[in-house]
Amino acid sequence: MDKFGDTIENYKEQAGLAGQSNADTSGRFHSDWCSMMYPRLRLARELLSDDGALFISIDGNEDKNLRAICDEIFGESNFRNQLLVRRRIKSLNVQFADNGLNSFNVGSESIFVYSKSSLFSFNPLRVKKADAPKKGSWNVFWSNADRPTMRYEILGFTPTTGQWRWQKNMADEAVENYAIYQRDFEAKITLEEYWQSTGRSKRFIRRIPNGVGKNGGVQYWVAPSETSLRTSNWNDLEVSQISKDYDLPFDNPKNVVLIEELISSVPGDDFYIVDFFSGSATTADATLRLNAKDGGRRKCLLVQLPEKYPNDSEGGQAGYETLCDVGEKRIRLAGDRMQSGLSDANRQLKLDESPKQLPDIGFRVFSLDDSGIERPKPGQLVLDVVKPDRTELDIVFEMMLKWGLELTLPVEKSEAAGYPVWSVACDELVCCMSQGLTIEALEAIADMEPRRVLILDSILDDTLKLNAVQIFKHAGERMGCEIELRTV
């Protein structure tokens, strides 16, 4: 839910509109919406790769404002498309139809697509045709573009204006292909059958006898196809998904097939996806499904305010405290589905036995909070700077952030000479958080050849601290690099 942090009543009081029956609340609403979106879009641009794209779902209430903001932040030249997606039509107008309608029911929503630079290009998507033709067709091989280098002789004719559609070597091969078909196969099978028997890849060019006009009767064959390239009209897909794939308390989630198709429009299969309004985690579900189908390694980062469920709500009664809990549960259920190969409500999902077809279903959940390390004020004696409500793992992840290590790196609990330590990324970082640290443990940690070592100051005495400095200094000299030692 998008909340803007102020009430209409407070706005009316500050603007001197209290008591008016028809105040300009719409202007205030638009202003607050823009204030909410602008910093998020600025951040999105900073996070976006040079060859990445941003997809923004929007209805008709704010589409003009969104377009203006995005044109400013991304540049008008980086506007790529306005996709039209079907919206489930409510029957509210039926009761008023006999007396005339103020407006038609809204049947679609838009998805704006912006890129960061000209480096982004869509991955071509294809959709099934409703009435796919069984036979191919012949089309004019000439086009109106003026490129003299593309005007050459084909079957005795050379155009004087415009250009041919393909380069000469491709055209010559297509002419030869059709000549072979006419000579050896035309009396036996159709051109469609010949095309299929030769791998569905051959091109064909012919010339109509006594052909005239700018193209001289030269034609190329268009093969029959069950699909066509997607346009900006995506009305075959709905914005929301009414039927639920999972028994979770969340109404009208985004259509997982729509999100999957949007992700498919981005070239490659190994990139990051960020969803700033993740809701019930549809984006994570779609990412897992797509990775399962094509063996991709796409990763997603979901952001969601911890919107609380009232105790008497469906979510509250089901035991969920916040919307984030629902999203976390859905990711787990989606992972279970990937492993079992179950089908979903929209399409059959079949997993190959090949390991690459089983996606990485692991994920981590983080809550944004203040530092778990409490710095003492001047003159204040604090024996342990770790806040009492934080776990060892909380501090490990905080230090990973401060050291610039990815939060997706593996973190394991292990031992060094019997002393428990946290190891990050196969000893890239080793954290000592427990009492009982010994010189033997420090030497064993040094033998692990870590690049960084964290030790809580509260578990060190002066002797251990001096030994730690010397042990890791000598270990770094053996490794040919410096081991960074930090205490907190």
Side-chain angles (χ1 to χ4, degrees):
M1 182 181 294
D2 303 335
K3 297 183 178 179
F4 310 144
D6 197 6
T7 63
I8 291 180
E9 289 72 20
N10 187 45
Y11 166 76
K12 288 180 180 179
E13 184 176 348
Q14 293 184 29
L17 299 175
Q20 293 189 20
S21 59
N22 190 24
D24 291 330
T25 54
S26 61
R28 171 262 174 193
F29 181 87
H30 292 307
S31 176
D32 277 355
W33 185 88
C34 291
S35 298
M36 185 265 298
M37 288 298 296
Y38 191 88
R40 287 166 171 79
L41 291 171
R42 286 295 297 265
L43 175 61
R45 188 185 183 283
E46 293 302 313
L47 294 175
L48 199 60
S49 64
D50 289 339
D51 59 349
L54 179 69
F55 298 83
I56 314 167
S57 180
I58 189 74
D59 60 20
N61 291 318
E62 299 291 348
D63 55 352
K64 291 182 179 179
N65 291 325
L66 178 63
R67 183 71 184 268
I69 293 174
C70 288
D71 282 348
E72 176 185 333
I73 294 175
F74 293 90
E76 293 183 35
S77 62
N78 287 322
F79 170 74
R80 291 309 187 90
N81 260 124
Q82 180 176 347
L83 309 178
L84 221 60
V85 186
R86 190 169 80 252
R87 180 176 178 176
R88 185 166 291 269
I89 300 175
K90 300 178 181 179
S91 57
L92 298 177
N93 274 344
V94 173
Q95 57 184 316
F96 308 113
D98 293 340
N99 299 321
L101 301 175
N102 184 49
S103 66
F104 291 109
N105 277 324
V106 178
S108 62
E109 290 188 11
S110 295
I111 298 178
F112 287 168
V113 187
Y114 277 84
S115 64
K116 190 173 185 178
S117 74
S118 60
L119 295 177
F120 172 76
S121 60
F122 286 105
N123 189 35
L125 300 177
R126 305 192 71 89
V127 290
K128 271 204 165 187
K129 295 178 180 177
D131 299 309
K134 303 296 183 182
K135 297 186 67 176
S137 60
W138 290 97
N139 204 346
V140 176
F141 191 59
W142 179 90
S143 71
N144 197 32
D146 187 20
R147 293 177 62 189
T149 57
M150 292 287 284
R151 296 198 285 262
Y152 47 85
E153 187 267 334
I154 293 181
L155 296 171
F157 179 82
T158 303
T160 57
T161 62
Q163 69 168 74
W164 296 129
R165 293 179 180 270
W166 306 334
Q167 295 177 351
K168 188 177 187 306
N169 61 332
M170 294 175 60
D172 289 343
E173 182 181 348
V175 169
E176 179 64 18
N177 288 339
Y178 191 64
I180 293 173
Y181 166 72
Q182 283 186 305
R183 185 185 66 228
D184 301 333
F185 299 97
E186 188 172 25
K188 306 173 186 177
I189 57 176
T190 65
L191 185 56
E192 287 77 12
E193 291 171 332
Y194 176 66
W195 172 71
Q196 291 185 16
S197 69
T198 54
R200 303 169 64 94
S201 62
K202 285 187 180 297
R203 304 169 186 262
F204 304 103
I205 287 179
R206 73 180 184 183
R207 185 183 178 193
I208 299 174
N210 303 318
V212 294
K214 295 179 179 179
N215 70 310
V218 177
Q219 298 177 326
Y220 74 104
W221 189 68
V222 180
S225 175
E226 296 180 351
T227 63
S228 60
L229 282 175
R230 265 205 182 279
T231 67
S232 60
N233 183 355
W234 287 35
N235 265 296
D236 58 307
L237 298 173
E238 285 193 0
V239 175
S240 300
Q241 183 173 324
I242 305 303
S243 60
K244 289 187 176 182
D245 293 338
Y246 311 97
D247 184 19
L248 294 172
F250 189 84
D251 295 330
N252 298 332
K254 281 285 189 288
N255 184 357
V256 67
V257 178
L258 169 62
I259 303 301
E260 193 177 328
E261 193 80 344
L262 290 173
I263 297 172
S264 298
S265 73
V266 178
D269 60 6
D270 188 359
F271 52 82
Y272 280 93
I273 305 155
V274 180
D275 188 341
F276 289 92
F277 300 95
S278 65
S280 66
T282 303
T283 298
D285 194 355
T287 302
L288 287 174
R289 296 183 191 211
L290 194 55
N291 283 346
K293 290 170 186 174
D294 64 10
R297 298 176 59 84
R298 302 171 189 85
K299 309 166 192 68
C300 58
L301 174 64
L302 309 184
V303 182
Q304 177 61 49
L305 292 174
E307 180 185 339
K308 290 189 177 295
Y309 280 113
N311 293 331
D312 57 351
S313 67
E314 181 186 1
Q317 292 178 352
Y320 296 98
E321 184 177 346
T322 70
L323 177 56
C324 298
D325 298 331
V326 172
E328 180 179 346
K329 179 65 173 180
R330 178 173 182 174
I331 298 174
R332 295 187 188 282
L333 292 174
D336 293 342
R337 173 168 288 177
M338 295 301 107
Q339 288 185 314
S340 61
L342 295 176
S343 63
D344 59 66
N346 299 292
R347 60 176 72 177
Q348 190 75 18
L349 178 61
K350 295 181 179 179
L351 302 180
D352 295 343
E353 293 182 2
S354 173
K356 72 175 184 179
Q357 292 295 319
L358 184 61
D360 182 355
I361 61 173
F363 70 100
R364 284 176 175 156
V365 180
F366 295 98
S367 298
L368 187 62
D369 206 335
D370 297 328
S371 172
I373 299 171
E374 189 171 19
R375 297 298 180 186
K377 298 177 182 178
Q380 181 184 18
L381 178 61
V382 177
L383 297 179
D384 190 354
V385 296
V386 177
K387 294 179 179 178
D389 60 341
R390 306 302 165 91
T391 66
E392 291 185 356
L393 206 51
D394 291 335
I395 304 303
V396 172
F397 280 114
E398 180 174 339
M399 296 310 299
M400 289 171 65
L401 275 176
K402 291 181 176 178
W403 254 311
L405 300 176
E406 293 186 11
L407 296 181
T408 54
L409 291 174
V411 178
E412 297 178 322
K413 193 74 175 287
S414 61
E415 288 188 353
Y419 177 79
V421 296
W422 290 97
S423 173
V424 178
C426 299
D427 306 330
E428 175 72 18
L429 165 65
V430 175
C431 300
C432 306
M433 317 284 288
S434 304
Q435 296 290 338
L437 182 62
T438 62
I439 293 177
E440 290 76 19
L442 290 172
E443 291 174 340
I445 294 170
D447 291 338
M448 296 163 64
E449 298 188 349
R451 298 296 301 275
R452 302 172 179 87
V453 177
L454 169 73
I455 305 177
L456 290 185
D457 199 58
S458 58
I459 66 175
L460 288 171
D461 56 30
D462 292 340
T463 302
L464 275 176
K465 185 176 293 187
L466 290 172
N467 277 281
V469 171
Q470 293 302 317
I471 288 171
F472 292 117
K473 178 182 178 182
H474 294 318
E477 292 172 352
R478 292 196 307 270
M479 294 166 55
C481 63
E482 182 180 353
I483 296 178
E484 187 175 352
L485 174 64
R486 185 181 297 186
T487 61
V488 293

